Amino acid sequence: MYMDKKILKSFFLSVFLFAIMSCDNNNNGKTEEDNLKNKEDKITRNQDDAKLFVTATENYIRLINYNNYLKTKDSLTVETKFFLQSLNNEIQNRLSNLKKVSKDELILLPSKDEVLFLDKIDSVHKSEKDYLIKLDEMLDKQLSVMENLIKKSNNIKMNVLANETEDFLKAQKENVKKIISKR
Amino acid sequence: MLRTIVKSERVLKITFGISLFIILCMGGFAYKHVRKLVDSFNLVEHTYEVNVQLEQILSYLKDSETGQRGYLISENTEFLQPFFSGRENTNNTFARLKQLTKNDTVQQNNLKKLNTLIDKKLKALDQILTLTNENKLNSKQFNALLIEDKKIMNEIRSKVSEMINHQNELLKERKKLSTESLSNTPIIIYSVLILMLLLLLLTYFRINKNLKILKFKNGQLEVFKESTNQSEIVNKHSTWTYFTEENRYEFSDNLYRLLGEQPQSFEPNLENFYQFVHPEDVNHVTEQVTKMMETENLPFLYYRIVQKNGTIRHFKAYAKVLVSSEDNTRRVLGTTADVTEEVQSFKLLEERNLELERNNKELSSFNYVASHDLQEPLRKIQTFISRLEDKEAASLSEKGILYLDRIKKAATRMRLLIDDLLQFSRTNKSEEAFAVTNMNIMLENAKQELAEMISEKDAKITADAIPMITVIPFQIQQLFTNLIGNSIKYSKKNTPPIITISYSKVKADDVLKLKKPKYNYYHKIVFTDNGIGFEQEYAENIFVLFNRLHNKNEYSGTGIGLSICKKIVENHQGYIFAEGKINEGAIFEVFLPLK
């Protein structure tokens, strides 16, 4: 059947104008459910980020405490103690960076670690290697938190921080492994 | 009719386009309004949610405080559970609030301040807990911390209250907006509905009106189609259409009938049609049809067809391309007529014409020979009458002399008749050469010829200047002589004739009495006299050969003069008319074509 081109043209023009008129700039073609889901997703992601930050902070505090604890042990060589001192300083820096970011992102971080396990460890005599293996495990734990953060977080600041920390932790793990291999 | 339909279609299209546009615009407008309403509801809901979250933060902090106090009193660590989970819960709430107030910079700043205060508060609680664990419950530091903690808590309350107030302000505005939107909604929906109803009605009336027109036109078309069918049958013609783009033919029913077949009894295509074309004409027809397909035009094409019963019919076809103004499709519209009767009549007419021409020639030569040969014995009669008068007149009795005089007069008249007849037969020969002629000289020659008569009757002739005209000169001179001579001859007794000759150029359409004029313009020469005139009813008769209005004893003449005039004018493809009134005079109008 012959369709009049003029009718088609006017129809398409009208539909085009209708689309322009009814276009919602904030909507971008999404439904109400999509928007709500999107909002909830963002909130959940922010909450997850906050949890990971809290865990990372706790891990840092434990690492610092553990390092401080190890420094008092006679079984550790002077070089290892130097290394631990330097590692502690680096961790302190990173913790303060973490705190800065958390302030911007409105995340409340713990100021101390509630887990009080350190006194119990000393009851059994342990070699330097044992302590360093424990340290390596703790670094592993923190590394996994950072990897999670890299994977899940959409926040640029957090991502940058996590990436940088990941590199740092990997490097420190290498150092620890080197020391362990020498022992 | 086509123009009405096209106009009506255009109006319908425009109405449809405008209606569609308005409906879509109104739909868009209504959609936007509903969206605005939903958004305003969402904003109100959003404000409530922010308030709830802020209250939640306070609640968590209070729980933490309560838990801590419980621990301080009982030293039971179970009381610390709300304190340990307080940070996580507050973080979760902050994450929600951060997202909820992302577009509100005031609340974002407030959130930052609140976050700092809560951080302080949680640190203070931590320190209090540490001091409790260190058994420093009554120390100054502990008391100072408690006071500091209370102060921070008050600040937090104040900040939360400030934020809730801000949200309440927003709530007020948003409620106002949503109420406005809500109150406008029925008006807008009704307006859209009414407008759509109006458009619907308008479109309905328009379509209804057009439908009526279409029905009426369809009826007319049916009548037209039927009358065309009838006309085709009566006039023995038919129509056919060639659709150039589809290379397809359509034949009307009567084309089948003209071919001696039942309507639509075979598929309308060239192959089937060529089966009827006379074998001698097939090549010619094929050539012309091929040309037509290329040029989309078919000039008059004559050919013969052979019906199945062996009858040969003569056909004439003509076609013209038609481009549709709607979709620019091209069609060749053709007409085919059965001209067998015409062809036969034409052949018969040709034969009759030839016969007539032959007869005319014979008659002319008979006229000429007869009148020429008659002169010779008449001349002898007149010679012997003359001798009788000269030599034997004395021996004749009185009666003999009278008889001789009568014989003499009869012979003279006979001579006159033969002369005029000879002249008339010469006039019949129209193959004389035309030449551009000075008409004034022709007039002067005529006057010279009639000089004796003019002088005798003391006639006065006045004439306009006549331009050069392409004529047969001697015939025109004869025409002038006859007309002027006629006016002098039929003049009143004792009244000198006055003849006026006037000239003018006239347009054929302006002179109604010129029947089927071949030329657009004519020279009009009018001869007016003051003679005895004639009854208008004889105006036609006076040009008939040998027709006379007066007794030959009263006015001399043969009745051939005006017939010669008519013949001369007709030889020039002109017209001559006479008007007259008894005792008032006569008017002769001569129309000669302006070539």
Side-chain angles (χ1 to χ4, degrees):
Chain A
M1 198 181 138
Y2 174 70
M3 276 287 283
D4 200 297
K5 284 177 188 168
K6 281 177 189 171
I7 287 184
L8 265 178
K9 273 183 196 169
S10 65
F11 176 74
F12 284 128
L13 180 74
S14 304
V15 170
F16 174 70
L17 287 169
F18 170 72
I20 287 175
M21 280 202 67
S22 60
C23 177
D24 185 350
N25 294 332
N26 299 322
N27 194 27
N28 293 331
K30 288 179 183 171
T31 62
E32 202 63 35
E33 286 77 21
D34 287 341
N35 284 337
L36 203 66
K37 194 175 176 296
N38 193 27
K39 190 176 116 184
E40 282 304 319
D41 282 350
K42 274 184 186 171
I43 291 167
T44 312
R45 215 177 297 133
N46 284 345
Q47 287 173 347
D48 289 346
D49 286 350
K51 276 175 199 162
L52 286 170
F53 250 52
V54 170
T55 314
T57 311
E58 283 168 356
N59 286 344
Y60 273 145
I61 293 168
R62 274 179 209 169
L63 275 167
I64 291 164
N65 287 345
Y66 189 64
N67 282 346
N68 287 337
Y69 165 71
L70 288 185
K71 277 192 280 182
T72 60
K73 298 295 165 192
D74 298 334
S75 55
L76 267 70
T77 61
V78 181
E79 289 89 0
T80 308
K81 282 183 181 174
F82 271 126
F83 164 70
L84 290 175
Q85 183 58 45
S86 140
L87 178 67
N88 237 8
N89 293 341
E90 289 292 334
I91 289 172
Q92 290 279 10
N93 283 341
R94 270 156 189 84
L95 181 61
S96 69
N97 287 342
L98 194 94
K99 281 179 178 172
K100 273 181 202 165
V101 173
S102 70
K103 207 169 183 182
D104 289 340
E105 298 304 320
L106 306 179
I107 300 168
L108 296 168
L109 299 178
S111 52
K112 62 164 193 166
D113 181 23
E114 284 83 8
V115 184
L116 303 169
F117 61 91
L118 295 172
D119 290 339
K120 293 172 188 173
I121 301 168
D122 207 23
S123 56
V124 182
H125 178 75
K126 285 183 178 173
S127 68
E128 184 182 287
K129 192 179 176 182
D130 295 330
Y131 290 123
L132 289 175
I133 287 168
K134 172 75 182 169
L135 181 66
D136 187 50
E137 281 169 10
M138 288 169 81
L139 286 171
D140 251 349
K141 205 174 169 188
Q142 183 69 326
L143 188 64
S144 119
V145 172
M146 290 302 152
E147 278 168 354
N148 251 342
L149 206 58
I150 291 165
K151 204 160 72 182
K152 289 178 182 170
S153 178
N154 274 350
N155 188 305
I156 297 168
K157 278 184 194 171
M158 286 181 179
N159 243 305
V160 170
L161 184 99
N163 271 302
E164 196 273 331
T165 310
E166 188 192 25
D167 292 342
F168 162 75
L169 290 171
K170 278 179 182 169
Q172 295 314 315
K173 265 174 69 68
E174 283 293 311
N175 289 337
V176 171
K177 274 177 186 164
K178 273 179 196 166
I179 298 170
I180 291 170
S181 65
K182 281 177 189 170
R183 300 292 175 259
Chain B
M1 186 175 85
L2 185 69
R3 196 177 294 171
T4 318
I5 291 171
V6 168
K7 193 183 165 193
S8 154
E9 194 188 350
R10 196 174 297 158
V11 170
L12 198 67
K13 276 178 198 169
I14 293 168
T15 314
F16 175 74
I18 293 171
S19 305
L20 192 73
F21 179 73
I22 293 173
I23 287 171
L24 285 170
C25 285
M26 291 309 294
F29 181 65
Y31 175 76
K32 275 201 96 170
H33 181 77
V34 172
R35 273 218 64 78
K36 197 177 154 190
L37 193 67
V38 170
D39 286 347
S40 67
F41 280 134
N42 284 344
L43 280 173
V44 171
E45 197 184 319
H46 173 266
T47 314
Y48 282 125
E49 198 183 347
V50 172
N51 282 351
V52 167
Q53 293 301 322
L54 286 167
E55 293 285 355
Q56 195 78 49
I57 287 177
L58 265 185
S59 169
Y60 289 142
L61 289 174
K62 279 178 197 165
D63 285 352
S64 298
E65 264 187 347
T66 313
Q68 191 202 43
R69 280 169 195 162
Y71 174 72
L72 289 178
I73 294 164
S74 65
E75 290 188 351
N76 185 351
T77 50
E78 273 186 33
F79 285 102
L80 287 176
Q81 192 53 43
F83 171 72
F84 291 138
S85 61
R87 180 177 286 106
E88 190 182 336
N89 290 336
T90 315
N91 270 343
N92 287 345
T93 311
F94 263 110
R96 189 169 284 276
L97 278 170
K98 198 168 76 175
Q99 187 61 33
L100 288 173
T101 60
K102 67 177 178 183
N103 296 325
D104 188 343
T105 44
V106 177
Q107 289 297 59
Q108 287 279 313
N109 288 334
N110 282 336
L111 268 183
K112 272 182 190 167
K113 284 174 191 165
L114 185 66
N115 183 267
T116 314
L117 285 171
I118 292 171
D119 195 37
K120 267 188 195 172
K121 166 82 182 166
L122 291 176
K123 273 179 186 163
L125 286 176
D126 270 344
Q127 281 174 333
I128 289 167
L129 210 62
T130 311
L131 288 175
T132 309
N133 288 337
E134 288 169 3
N135 284 324
K136 289 178 181 174
L137 282 172
N138 295 321
S139 65
K140 278 183 182 176
Q141 196 187 356
F142 186 81
N143 287 335
L145 263 175
L146 279 178
I147 291 162
E148 178 68 18
D149 179 50
K150 191 174 180 297
K151 198 179 152 194
I152 294 166
M153 191 60 191
N154 286 341
E155 280 178 35
I156 290 169
R157 279 181 211 278
S158 157
K159 185 50 77 182
V160 169
S161 169
E162 187 189 326
M163 288 175 79
I164 288 173
N165 284 341
H166 178 79
Q167 282 306 119
N168 287 340
E169 286 296 317
L170 287 175
L171 187 67
K172 238 188 247 176
E173 281 173 29
R174 286 165 183 174
K175 268 189 172 173
K176 196 180 159 193
L177 271 177
S178 83
T179 315
E180 272 175 16
S181 296
L182 203 63
S183 61
N184 286 339
T185 305
I187 298 167
I188 287 167
I189 289 172
Y190 271 118
S191 308
V192 170
L193 275 175
I194 287 167
L195 201 70
M196 279 182 174
L197 201 70
L198 282 174
L199 284 172
L200 202 71
L201 281 171
L202 184 77
T203 315
Y204 170 76
F205 283 122
R206 188 75 229 177
I207 290 172
N208 198 33
K209 192 181 163 192
N210 285 343
L211 209 66
K212 278 180 185 169
I213 294 171
L214 209 67
K215 268 185 184 174
F216 175 69
K217 300 292 177 197
N218 257 346
Q220 279 186 329
L221 217 61
E222 284 288 321
V223 173
F224 177 72
K225 193 183 164 191
E226 195 47 46
S227 60
T228 307
N229 279 341
Q230 295 297 324
S231 158
E232 281 189 8
I233 293 167
V234 171
N235 294 309
K236 291 188 178 175
H237 76 265
S238 60
T239 53
W240 49 270
T241 313
Y242 171 55
F243 298 87
T244 51
E245 277 150 36
E246 301 162 47
N247 193 23
R248 180 170 67 82
Y249 280 88
E250 261 179 25
F251 294 168
S252 75
D253 288 353
N254 209 42
L255 184 58
Y256 289 91
R257 289 190 196 103
L258 293 180
L259 293 170
E261 298 295 318
Q262 286 299 315
Q264 310 299 331
S265 57
F266 60 84
E267 202 188 321
N269 57 37
L270 279 177
E271 202 178 307
N272 288 336
F273 181 74
Y274 284 151
Q275 287 177 4
F276 292 90
V277 179
H278 194 286
E280 287 175 15
D281 293 344
V282 167
N283 285 342
H284 176 57
V285 173
T286 313
E287 194 183 308
Q288 290 299 314
V289 170
T290 314
K291 213 172 165 186
M292 178 196 81
M293 285 172 168
E294 288 163 7
T295 60
E296 293 181 349
N297 185 34
L298 181 71
F300 283 110
L301 170 67
Y302 293 89
Y303 58 97
R304 289 164 293 170
I305 61 110
V306 186
Q307 292 179 345
K308 281 190 179 162
N309 59 10
T311 314
I312 295 174
R313 308 290 298 176
H314 291 264
F315 277 16
K316 179 170 90 171
Y318 172 74
K320 199 178 165 190
V321 70
L322 181 84
V323 182
S324 163
S325 58
E326 283 292 300
D327 51 4
N328 280 332
T329 51
R330 303 172 81 81
R331 271 174 279 183
V332 180
L333 293 185
T335 310
T336 299
D338 185 337
V339 290
T340 312
E341 274 80 19
E342 276 177 48
V343 170
Q344 283 168 354
S345 303
F346 182 72
K347 277 181 183 168
L348 196 68
L349 199 69
E350 250 183 356
E351 282 169 18
R352 293 272 162 84
N353 268 347
L354 281 171
E355 198 182 327
L356 200 67
E357 213 171 295
R358 212 164 39 239
N359 288 345
N360 265 344
K361 273 183 182 170
E362 277 172 13
L363 197 66
S364 289
S365 86
F366 170 77
N367 265 349
Y368 184 77
V369 169
S371 43
H372 194 265
D373 290 355
L374 278 172
Q375 278 189 336
E376 209 273 324
L378 185 62
R379 216 175 289 126
K380 275 188 179 169
I381 292 168
Q382 282 185 313
T383 308
F384 286 110
I385 287 170
S386 176
R387 283 193 184 173
L388 261 176
E389 263 184 341
D390 291 347
K391 293 178 180 174
E392 304 294 332
S395 58
L396 284 173
S397 66
E398 213 169 291
K399 261 190 177 176
I401 292 168
L402 189 69
Y403 292 151
L404 189 66
D405 187 45
R406 286 217 177 150
I407 292 166
K408 189 183 167 187
K409 279 182 181 167
T412 309
R413 183 163 172 74
M414 182 73 172
R415 176 80 183 226
L416 199 64
L417 269 168
I418 289 169
D419 278 351
D420 282 355
L421 209 57
L422 196 63
Q423 203 163 29
F424 184 76
S425 70
R426 276 180 193 148
T427 317
N428 268 345
K429 294 177 185 174
S430 58
E431 63 267 16
E432 303 293 343
F434 280 80
V436 179
T437 310
N438 189 333
M439 299 294 277
N440 300 312
I441 293 172
M442 292 296 108
L443 187 64
E444 279 309 310
N445 289 347
K447 278 169 41 181
Q448 285 291 324
E449 214 174 305
L450 298 165
E452 202 179 325
M453 262 177 102
I454 290 167
S455 162
E456 189 187 318
K457 293 256 184 171
D458 195 19
K460 284 182 183 164
I461 302 169
T462 54
D464 289 348
I466 308 172
M468 305 280 269
I469 302 176
T470 308
V471 292
I472 305 164
F474 84 89
Q475 284 193 359
I476 289 298
Q477 189 179 320
Q478 184 67 50
L479 173 77
F480 287 171
T481 309
N482 283 8
L483 287 173
I484 295 167
N486 205 55
S487 291
I488 295 169
K489 193 192 286 177
Y490 296 105
S491 61
K492 289 177 193 162
K493 281 177 184 169
N494 304 322
T495 306
I498 299 169
I499 302 161
T500 313
I501 302 161
S502 62
Y503 167 82
S504 60
K505 193 174 91 176
V506 290
K507 199 175 175 186
D509 295 341
D510 296 341
V511 187
L512 295 174
K513 52 189 166 187
L514 300 187
K515 304 285 179 214
K516 295 177 186 172
K518 286 183 183 173
Y519 298 90
N520 291 331
Y521 291 91
Y522 283 83
H523 300 283
K524 182 183 177 188
I525 305 164
V526 184
F527 294 77
T528 314
D529 64 46
N530 60 343
I532 58 167
F534 55 86
E535 291 280 2
Q536 186 58 33
E537 60 184 287
Y538 301 118
E540 295 278 329
N541 288 350
I542 57 173
F543 294 111
V544 178
L545 197 63
F546 301 121
N547 204 318
R548 291 171 54 83
L549 298 182
H550 305 280
N551 194 314
K552 65 180 176 185
N553 296 328
E554 204 176 339
Y555 290 98
S556 64
T558 56
I560 298 174
L562 286 177
S563 303
I564 292 171
C565 289
K566 190 172 174 70
K567 198 76 199 166
I568 290 168
V569 172
E570 278 173 359
N571 282 348
H572 286 80
Q573 293 178 307
Y575 300 87
I576 185 164
F577 301 103
E579 274 180 41
K581 267 188 181 175
I582 294 287
N583 290 326
E584 280 186 21
I587 300 167
F588 287 91
E589 291 173 325
V590 176
F591 293 89
L592 296 173
L594 177 63
K595 292 177 184 172

